[in-house]
Amino acid sequence: MKMFILCFSVVLLINNVLSFVLSEGKPHIIFIIADDLGWNDVSFHGGNQIPTPNLDALAYNGVILNSHYVQSMGTPSRAALFTGKYPTKLGMQGPSITVAESRTLPEGKILPQYLKEMGYSTYLVGKWDLGYSRWNATPTQRGFDHHFGYFNEYTSYYDYLSTWKFNNKEYTGFDLRYDKTPSWENVGKYATDLFTEYGVNVIQNHDVSTPLFLMMSHLAVHSGNEGKPLEAPQETINKFKHIVDANRRTYAAMVSKLDDAVGTLVEALASRDMLQNSIVVFISDNGAPTQGHFRNWGSNYPLRGIKDTLFEGGIRSVACIWSPLLVQSARVSRDLMHITDWLPTLFTAAGGDSGLLDLDIDGIDQWASLVYELPSARNDILLNIDEKTRNAALRLSNWKLIVGSSNNGSFNGFLGQPVLENIQEPEYDATAVYNSPAGRSIKKVSYNTPLEIDDYVRIRIRATVKCVANGEKNPCDPSTNPVCLYDIPSDPCEENDLAKFFPSVVRRLKRSLVEYRKDLLPQIEQESNIERADPKLFKYTWNPWLDCSDLQCTS
């Protein structure tokens, strides 16, 4: 009898949600991307050093995606997100696009175009990073109604200048624009605040009868130009006096401003009565570069590896989803999910028929799994094949195979170092999560009984990844070993190589890599022409340069 009542209650709840969706129309979709954010730099993963109360409120009241994978760098991740395809099918599996490169995201319908055809207003705020050598490759020509942000891999947080070196000569250009027009008037405003202000303005002026797709692709927490790689308001930096290292302290302030931005955006949705029919997704495009190029002092602890590696710290991304449409929420999902899955998942969430999508996509529709906690249809993920570096990795069920190395194996020995020292150890404040702008807003629109502080603590424990205490330590360096094989659920820190114990599993995963290799499109050549792209030709602005000779060129 109890089972019957439970089943009846679940069916009733599902029917109520479906009725609500039908009455409210297509859900608004707010997709937030952090840049180079470390696994350990959100407090819902168990770290106390950097509180992220707004993100924690979203995560605890939604679904924490603890097995969400991305590509190891920004351009490939964004290519996968927008197309629903593995970058190997696009020739985009290599490094991120730099200035003066002619390569761009290949032609074909992408996520904002699918949603635009379904009646959505589409906005991109922040980073593009998919090429801009010609205007027809820029966001407003690829499905976004408007773009307020920058084209390159990074720009500065206050002056929006991006400096690159070619043949020992530096080239500096301005990189902030509204659609096609440089936005000089916003110099001096902190980027995270500026992008948030624009996003809030979009929400406040939006016709709520039209579904909104707002992609907030933040600059934070990517490092900037040499000499001032990390930037944040001093009053925010001062909140982190418990952190000994000055660079880590500034990084913490950058994360904190990002968290504030999330809370402000959720509050804006609530103020327009849009939140009760919204889907809010938060991900990082890859792990933090704790060391090396574009170092930002982020932490992927306890995961091994950093950005631009195929270890978990480089490709296992911070991610969560929140929506009143989620019937089974307040949980931690360990089901495999890949960044390519967002295109079919959001398309279905918006009421689309997945049969109308490109048949060649690799993304899997996860909407039913997210809403009802049904088993995920995904069993494997091609993590990458880079034919130039001979570096590849594949996840199949609980197994992960790594072949070869990036960066000549420079970071293979990085084993997930703990965060830097604190002057005093801070305590986690679950009450701050409960009372955060996001927390307060979510409580007002929740179908379920609002979570209590004890619930937050319980979910946080489940979301915290720990290395196996007193577990087997059989390290593997893929630059010297033919392959490395890990059982990720049992060994999330990739400390125990099992290749010699499970040769049949190694053979199976190798065969899968060979099959994926058949669809690989060789990397698009990285042709750079700084003489034609030199920003001084465009009033010291980074600008499309092919078929253009000055800043006024708009086609």
Side-chain angles (χ1 to χ4, degrees), residues 189-218:
K189 299 177 182 178
Y190 188 62
T192 306
D193 293 339
L194 179 64
F195 294 150
T196 303
E197 178 185 316
Y198 179 84
V200 168
N201 187 60
V202 167
I203 292 168
Q204 290 176 340
N205 292 285
H206 183 68
D207 178 357
V208 296
S209 65
T210 301
L212 172 66
F213 175 54
L214 175 60
M215 177 168 281
M216 300 292 298
S217 182
H218 277 284

Side-chain angles (χ1 to χ4, degrees), residues 309-321:
T309 74
L310 294 180
F311 294 110
E312 296 289 281
I315 56 174
R316 189 165 168 177
S317 158
V318 174
C320 64
I321 178 173

Side-chain angles (χ1 to χ4, degrees), residues 67-71 86-87 312 315-316 334-341 362 364 366 376-385 392-401 509 512-513 516:
S67 293
H68 180 272
Y69 285 87
V70 294
Q71 304 306 123
Y86 291 135
E312 296 289 281
I315 56 174
R316 189 165 168 177
R334 294 177 178 83
D335 287 346
L336 291 181
M337 188 167 186
H338 187 247
I339 193 169
T340 55
D341 296 341
D362 300 291
I364 292 175
Q366 301 265 21
S376 170
R378 181 174 283 286
N379 189 49
D380 74 315
I381 300 173
L382 175 63
L383 299 171
N384 203 29
I385 300 175
L394 176 76
R395 180 80 194 264
L396 178 61
S397 187
N398 60 310
W399 297 106
K400 178 181 176 184
L401 185 78
L509 269 66
S512 294
L513 279 175
Y516 277 120

Side-chain angles (χ1 to χ4, degrees), residues 351-492:
D353 178 359
S354 59
L356 300 176
L357 295 172
D358 185 343
L359 296 177
D360 196 36
I361 68 169
D362 300 291
I364 292 175
D365 178 7
Q366 301 265 21
W367 185 237
S369 299
L370 294 171
V371 172
Y372 306 119
E373 199 178 1
L374 298 175
S376 170
R378 181 174 283 286
N379 189 49
D380 74 315
I381 300 173
L382 175 63
L383 299 171
N384 203 29
I385 300 175
D386 188 321
E387 76 280 14
K388 290 189 175 182
T389 63
R390 299 183 180 276
N391 184 204
L394 176 76
R395 180 80 194 264
L396 178 61
S397 187
N398 60 310
W399 297 106
K400 178 181 176 184
L401 185 78
I402 300 180
V403 180
S405 301
S406 57
N407 291 296
N408 297 315
S410 303
F411 305 115
N412 287 349
F414 187 85
L415 301 176
Q417 297 170 359
V419 295
L420 299 175
E421 184 182 357
N422 292 321
I423 294 172
Q424 61 182 41
E425 194 62 34
E427 294 184 0
Y428 187 65
D429 187 358
T431 303
V433 178
Y434 191 83
N435 294 322
S436 68
R440 293 194 306 268
S441 300
I442 287 170
K443 285 197 289 284
K444 295 177 183 178
V445 300
S446 176
Y447 289 122
N448 302 315
T449 303
L451 296 180
E452 299 298 331
I453 291 175
D454 288 346
D455 297 318
Y456 289 169
V457 174
R458 171 179 51 82
I459 297 170
R460 186 176 190 242
I461 291 172
R462 293 180 181 175
T464 301
V465 172
K466 295 182 179 180
C467 299
V468 181
N470 302 316
E472 292 290 331
K473 299 290 191 297
N474 181 27
C476 179
D477 184 343
S479 62
T480 56
N481 289 48
V483 298
C484 299
L485 179 70
Y486 301 104
D487 181 345
I488 294 300
S490 300
D491 179 25

